[in-house]
Amino acid sequence: MTQSGSALTEPEGPFATLHVEHTSTVERAAEELRRAIFEGEIESGTALREVALADSLGVSRPTIREALGVLVAEGLATREPHRGVHVSTPEAGSVRDVCAARWVLEGAGVSRWREADETQRDHVRTALRVYTDAVRAEGTYQELNTLHLAFHVSLVGLTGSPRLVAMAENLVVELKLALAQVERIARNAHDEADTHVALVQLLEDDDVDAAMTFLSGHLADAETEIITALRL
């Protein structure tokens, strides 16, 4: 043990090489680029030039290169040979495919509302409350987008399957950019929040069949709205 005021001892044993770093410059640069994309300051298809971004953010080109790699991994940007990195552009086929997959996963969760334990149901209630509170507080596009999709992932959590939840989280990454753009075109956060409240109320009323029908319609409407708003 170290004495008060003395230097910390060096770690020993099999974990001696492990360490935790504070948020890196790469992570901060990636977060600022995400914010700009979600807020509409950088539109779909925009070329993300390393030199210009490094000058704008006051960081090195290698830092920007790594930050762009993060965005590419998240699906927010694409990297093509001889063309560089561009902000991703949603495609109609991908939107339809993601929405179909969401129905399979989220429908599986909603159908198990009665079998789910109270912790899983409380997670859905909490996700809804956090989302609706952010809507009332006029949160940013990025914040509302994240909380909105987190609520949908919480529905998958009703299955009790970590693998299905992980699959839903991967789908959410693909959908974030498209939903953020729709929100900028036709801001409807309050209507969205009311829809989610109505869905959970059906579950609380133990009307699972009606909740399944409601969810199916909601996801179908979301698919149509995204494709129409983005003119895909």
Side-chain angles (χ1 to χ4, degrees):
M1 296 178 62
T2 59
Q3 299 296 321
S4 176
S6 65
L8 293 174
T9 59
E10 291 296 323
E12 299 178 354
F15 306 122
T17 60
L18 302 182
H19 64 282
V20 175
E21 296 181 355
H22 294 292
T23 302
S24 69
T25 304
V26 171
E27 291 170 327
R28 292 196 295 272
E31 177 58 27
E32 177 59 11
L33 289 171
R34 281 192 210 97
R35 183 202 62 75
I37 291 170
F38 285 130
E39 296 292 332
E41 296 172 18
I42 304 178
E43 295 289 346
S44 290
T46 300
L48 299 173
R49 307 295 186 193
E50 290 181 10
V51 173
L53 289 173
D55 289 343
S56 178
L57 295 176
V59 298
S60 68
R61 286 187 64 185
T63 294
I64 291 298
R65 192 172 301 121
E66 288 189 54
L68 293 179
V70 171
L71 297 186
V72 170
E74 293 177 346
L76 295 178
T78 57
R79 190 190 304 274
E80 298 181 31
H82 312 300
R83 294 192 67 243
V85 179
H86 292 72
V87 178
S88 296
T89 300
E91 298 180 355
S94 295
V95 170
R96 292 190 183 97
D97 193 37
V98 168
C99 287
R102 286 179 66 195
W103 164 241
V104 172
L105 295 173
E106 294 177 31
V110 168
S111 71
R112 290 189 56 81
W113 174 263
R114 295 190 186 102
E115 293 78 15
D117 61 38
E118 198 61 23
T119 298
Q120 292 162 345
R121 290 193 290 263
D122 277 342
H123 184 52
V124 172
R125 295 169 184 131
T126 299
L128 175 64
R129 183 175 66 254
V130 172
Y131 173 52
T132 54
D133 285 350
V135 170
R136 284 192 290 270
E138 301 294 335
T140 65
Y141 292 120
Q142 183 173 0
E143 179 185 13
L144 296 183
N145 199 15
T146 297
L147 295 177
H148 170 202
L149 292 171
F151 166 76
H152 281 277
V153 172
S154 77
L155 297 176
V156 183
L158 294 169
T159 63
S161 169
R163 288 180 177 82
L164 293 182
V165 170
M167 292 171 65
E169 289 172 341
N170 287 335
L171 288 175
V172 157
V173 171
E174 294 186 53
L175 203 57
K176 270 187 175 181
L177 180 59
L179 282 179
Q181 292 184 32
V182 170
E183 287 237 328
R184 293 199 303 271
I185 294 169
R187 185 82 183 251
N188 61 351
H190 289 280
D191 290 342
E192 281 288 338
D194 290 343
T195 297
H196 293 72
V197 169
L199 172 61
V200 173
Q201 188 58 57
L202 288 171
L203 292 173
E204 298 286 15
D205 292 340
D206 200 35
D207 196 345
V208 174
D209 289 341
M212 288 288 287
T213 299
F214 190 97
L215 176 64
S216 177
H218 172 66
L219 294 178
D221 289 344
E223 175 185 314
T224 301
E225 182 181 21
I226 293 170
I227 292 173
T228 300
L230 300 183
R231 299 178 181 178
L232 299 180

